[in-house]
Amino acid sequence: MKLRKVTAASAAVLALAVAATACGSSDNDKDSGSSSGGSKKITVGIKFDQPGIGQKTPSGYSGFDVDVATYVAKKLGYSADQIEWKESKSADRETMLQRGDVDFIAASYSITPERQQKVDFAGPYLLAHQDVLIRSDDNSIKSPSDLNSKKLCSVTGSTSAQNVKDKLAPKAQLQQYPTYSACLTGVQNGAIDALTTDDSILAGYASQSQYKGKFKLGGFKMTNENYGIGVKKGSDLKAKINTALEAMVSDGSWQKAVDKNFGPAGYKNEPAPKIGDIKS
């Protein structure tokens, strides 16, 4: 009788230990790495202030990069409500990836040799070009050389306007404003003749309802900007994201996202680039 009591007590202790272990396993599974799709969320870096590309609004997040990132996350096993969006300013992107602040970044992030030394890139998923945005009724700017003696705007710290002056229109009058929106207002009221940056960014601004029909793109294609999705160096997410991007193109979702976000500006996009095909 005494032996049976000890055995029963031992069994009870064993059962409690197994239950505790099972609970512990459940917690670990829940907190497992987001790169495998096992956790409850994935953290994605985007721009918060680029209409048509990545923008934070009172109703949520919108833009081409947001649509691409949402599609990719779904292919990785995450629903839209499992995505945590983080603002990724241009100067912070490599650091955010290296520190693990985000799982990946889709933020008008051009692939360059310098950046590839620090992070890896999936894609490219969009080929953009430096261009100019002018008033829709301005027919005086038909080529980059026509920017000579014109007032050309870009944001403070950007190299876009200086590139035009150095290589294409040495007599252009450079104007630096704190934001693209300020440049756009200048173009609208005639204080500025043209705004320059990536054509995708310009199309995103021009597609906004308040600017519809007021601006047009020059279509000059002055540089190639290969937008990629940044991941931490050596991350296995690169291959998985590339597979997702290929699927997005093949099922038509990529073109739908382009049309939705850039179409109102009459943006003539390049065909979806092949994975790994980086235009210099």
Side-chain angles (χ1 to χ4, degrees), residues 207-228:
S207 294
Q208 302 304 292
S209 57
Q210 67 268 36
Y211 299 131
K212 194 171 182 180
K214 296 180 179 179
F215 303 102
K216 62 184 178 182
L217 291 164
F220 299 157
K221 299 184 178 180
M222 294 181 280
T223 63
N224 290 327
E225 306 296 336
N226 303 272
Y227 287 6

Side-chain angles (χ1 to χ4, degrees), residues 21-259:
T21 303
C23 291
S25 297
S26 177
D27 290 341
N28 289 337
D29 290 342
K30 186 170 64 176
D31 295 332
S32 62
S34 58
S35 63
S36 66
S39 72
K40 284 195 170 184
K41 69 176 182 177
I42 188 167
T43 307
V44 180
I46 57 169
K47 291 293 181 68
F48 277 14
D49 59 352
Q50 288 185 346
I53 299 288
Q55 185 179 28
K56 183 179 181 180
T57 69
S59 58
Y61 301 88
S62 64
F64 179 69
D65 283 348
V66 175
D67 291 342
V68 170
T70 300
Y71 185 99
V72 167
K74 183 177 180 180
K75 289 293 185 181
L76 294 175
Y78 299 89
S79 59
D81 61 1
Q82 291 176 312
I83 301 173
E84 179 184 350
W85 302 104
K86 278 197 175 183
E87 183 175 18
S88 297
K89 296 179 180 179
S90 296
D92 299 334
R93 290 176 296 201
E94 286 84 36
T95 301
M96 292 179 72
L97 288 169
Q98 291 169 337
R99 285 195 312 226
D101 296 340
V102 291
D103 293 290
F104 67 83
I105 290 177
S108 54
Y109 201 1
S110 296
I111 302 171
T112 68
E114 294 77 17
R115 289 170 178 163
Q116 286 177 306
Q117 297 297 314
K118 301 175 181 178
V119 301
D120 285 342
F121 286 96
Y125 63 92
L126 183 73
L127 177 59
H129 307 280
Q130 186 180 343
D131 201 357
V132 296
L133 193 72
I134 56 180
R135 290 181 296 278
S136 57
D137 60 354
D138 186 349
N139 297 314
S140 67
I141 302 174
K142 298 179 179 178
S143 71
S145 62
D146 291 331
L147 293 168
N148 280 306
S149 302
K150 298 288 188 178
K151 293 178 181 178
L152 181 65
C153 186
S154 196
V155 297
T156 304
S158 168
T159 59
S160 298
Q162 191 65 47
N163 285 341
V164 173
K165 185 174 177 65
D166 289 345
K167 301 175 183 178
L168 301 167
K171 295 182 181 179
Q173 301 174 33
L174 300 187
Q175 308 285 322
Q176 294 192 33
Y177 283 22
T179 65
Y180 289 119
S181 295
C183 282
L184 206 59
T185 299
V187 176
Q188 187 174 2
N189 63 29
I192 298 295
D193 296 302
L195 161 61
T196 185
T197 188
D198 296 357
D199 54 7
S200 57
I201 297 173
L202 296 175
Y205 274 98
S207 294
Q208 302 304 292
S209 57
Q210 67 268 36
Y211 299 131
K212 194 171 182 180
K214 296 180 179 179
F215 303 102
K216 62 184 178 182
L217 291 164
F220 299 157
K221 299 184 178 180
M222 294 181 280
T223 63
N224 290 327
E225 306 296 336
N226 303 272
Y227 287 6
I229 293 181
V231 298
K232 190 173 184 178
K233 201 76 173 170
S235 172
D236 62 356
L237 275 182
K238 177 180 176 179
K240 296 175 183 178
I241 293 173
N242 280 334
T243 299
L245 292 174
E246 289 174 334
M248 188 175 188
V249 173
S250 64
D251 70 14
S253 298
W254 183 88
Q255 189 61 52
K256 287 180 182 177
V258 169
D259 295 341

